Amino acid sequence: MEPQAFYKTIYKIAKVVNSSLEPKVVLGQIVEQVATTMNAKGCFIRLLNRTGEILKPDAYYGLSERYAQKGPVEVAKSKLDQEALAGNAVYIADVRTDPRFQYPQQATEEGLVSIVVVPLTAQGNKVIGVLRVYAGETRSFTEEELEFLSCIANLCGIALENARMFHALKRASELANDYIYQVFED
């Protein structure tokens, strides 16, 4: 993979992050850009639920709806995600046979073979989810590709944090306006 392709994709994704505060829009464009740039079968972003026990699907590209909705990814049952949520990039050469992967049968049906998972961080080093890239053949990932994915995962975290802060400020403003309106109406 040419380094220029990574730089161009990072630039495109940074523009997307700066252009929208809607996480679905931003993350949807990110997974498409990552899968396309890496010539991958698919890309998936999963975010932790409030309890930190389930990784919920948030955005994906190149994968079927059936695969995306195959079932919950329970952190306690997924050694792969436990390693990623601990802050490590994780590579599996063949998800069909690796015991760390929670859904090998569904991966086989989807035509998935290799996977790399990087932690998605926000607010410094707080891990809030994972970014996964799938290959339809046995494939290794270079150090440059892993650095590229870590950079993208950090941009995802920035996008999500920006959206969270924007919606919190918007809600606080609405509450303040409602309070003012009630006080002066009474």
Side-chain angles (χ1 to χ4, degrees):
M1 184 71 46
E2 292 291 323
Q4 286 182 333
F6 292 146
Y7 297 134
K8 287 180 181 177
T9 301
I10 290 168
Y11 176 72
K12 289 177 186 174
I13 289 174
K15 284 178 66 175
V16 169
V17 169
N18 277 332
S19 68
S20 177
L21 291 169
E22 292 301 323
K24 289 286 184 197
V25 171
V26 174
L27 297 182
Q29 292 186 30
I30 288 172
V31 290
E32 181 178 353
Q33 289 288 327
V34 168
T36 302
T37 300
M38 296 190 71
N39 295 319
K41 181 167 179 61
C43 182
F44 212 130
I45 292 175
R46 291 184 174 273
L47 300 176
L48 281 170
N49 69 353
R50 290 186 189 277
T51 65
E53 297 172 351
I54 304 286
L55 281 163
K56 298 173 58 177
D58 207 79
Y60 60 93
Y61 178 81
L63 304 166
S64 70
E65 179 73 19
R66 179 177 47 91
Y67 184 76
Q69 303 301 327
K70 64 188 176 306
V73 174
E74 299 176 49
V75 175
K77 293 181 180 178
S78 175
K79 300 270 187 237
L80 166 69
D81 292 306
Q82 290 173 17
E83 291 178 42
L85 292 171
N88 304 309
V90 183
Y91 164 72
I92 293 179
D94 193 337
V95 295
R96 300 169 298 183
T97 58
D98 194 298
R100 294 177 292 174
F101 198 75
Q102 188 178 352
Y103 291 101
Q105 180 62 37
Q106 290 80 0
T108 300
E109 293 168 5
E110 188 72 9
L112 305 176
V113 179
S114 294
I115 183 173
V116 64
V117 183
V118 295
L120 201 155
T121 58
Q123 299 174 333
N125 291 327
K126 181 179 178 185
V127 180
I128 61 171
V130 296
L131 177 111
R132 297 176 170 201
V133 174
Y134 299 90
E137 67 284 339
T138 302
R139 174 181 170 176
S140 60
F141 294 89
T142 66
E143 191 63 36
E144 288 80 20
E145 288 174 318
L146 294 177
E147 289 175 1
F148 168 73
L149 291 175
S150 291
C151 177
I152 300 302
N154 283 316
L155 287 172
C156 291
I158 290 168
L160 291 168
E161 188 61 18
N162 286 347
R164 186 192 66 76
M165 287 190 300
F166 171 75
H167 290 292
L169 286 171
K170 183 178 175 186
R171 181 71 183 135
S173 175
E174 291 169 353
L175 290 171
N177 287 338
D178 289 346
Y179 175 75
I180 291 169
Y181 181 74
Q182 287 178 355
V183 168
F184 291 110
E185 282 293 315
D186 291 337

